[in-house]
Amino acid sequence: MPGKEVRNYEAMVILNAQMGDEDINAMVQRLEGILNGGGATIREIARWGRRRLAYEIARKKDGYYVIFYFNMTGKSRDTLDNFEKACRFDENVLRHMVITVPVKKRDREVAQLVPQPGYLADFRFEPRGGGMRRRYEDRPAPAPAAPVEAAPAEAAPSEAAPSEAAPAEPAPEKPAE
């Protein structure tokens, strides 16, 4: 039957970080209730917490990130519309986005990953052609450099260098004509 296949969804919501914890919990429960009431099966709600935004949104520099991972049948468009309407018309929701995650790709099951906050912390960016490289803490430390021996000092000072004891000669003045 077409339209009855189960689809995976991810919904990211960025809330106003200036809200209290009780208000944020109430908002997350309200959005969860909209999804559950429409027939969605919520697999996980990842709360990434307060984070700095890449750019200001409505004069706010911080946001509270919440990601909903859920499954629904293909004919549940009304539930998604209600969810997006609740996000769009609430002034404490700075941004929201709902995407469909494929169930199969090239006739293979696709696992819906649930990344935790900071999952890219093990990577660092090397800007000059290095790309993303994994950071290993068990990498051996570089060997210390061998000490460099100083060259023996000369007994007589160089004639090219002026002596510190003798003052520099003043420049001759030009006669006035």
Side-chain angles (χ1 to χ4, degrees), residues 124-166:
R124 65 182 166 151
F125 183 69
E126 304 275 335
R128 301 246 159 103
M132 297 287 280
R133 293 194 181 156
R134 188 118 175 120
R135 231 188 289 173
Y136 293 103
E137 277 68 27
D138 57 346
R139 185 183 317 171
V148 178
E149 293 183 21
E154 297 180 18
S158 171
E159 293 181 18
S163 156
E164 290 180 9

Side-chain angles (χ1 to χ4, degrees), residues 26-137:
M27 177 61 106
V28 170
Q29 288 176 356
R30 187 175 135 232
L31 294 174
E32 181 181 4
I34 291 171
L35 292 173
N36 283 334
T41 305
I42 296 181
R43 295 185 358 189
E44 185 168 346
I45 299 175
R47 293 173 181 244
W48 284 15
R50 288 175 173 81
R51 298 184 164 267
R52 172 82 54 191
L53 299 172
Y55 54 90
E56 285 188 13
I57 302 174
R59 299 182 189 242
K60 307 281 191 288
K61 294 182 180 181
D62 297 324
Y64 189 93
Y65 285 74
V66 181
I67 306 174
F68 297 90
Y69 298 93
F70 57 98
N71 301 331
M72 285 194 323
T73 60
K75 290 213 169 203
S76 301
R77 186 65 200 165
D78 292 338
T79 304
L80 291 178
D81 289 341
N82 291 339
F83 181 82
E84 289 183 354
K85 189 185 296 182
C87 290
R88 191 177 324 121
F89 294 124
D90 193 324
E91 63 187 20
N92 288 317
V93 176
L94 301 178
R95 288 283 189 273
H96 70 282
M97 182 172 61
V98 180
I99 62 169
T100 305
V101 179
V103 177
K104 286 189 175 186
K105 187 173 184 179
R106 297 184 185 141
D107 296 330
R108 297 169 112 186
E109 292 289 323
V110 174
Q112 188 175 11
L113 299 176
V114 181
Q116 296 302 316
Y119 70 101
L120 288 177
D122 290 342
F123 292 92
R124 65 182 166 151
F125 183 69
E126 304 275 335
R128 301 246 159 103
M132 297 287 280
R133 293 194 181 156
R134 188 118 175 120
R135 231 188 289 173
Y136 293 103
E137 277 68 27

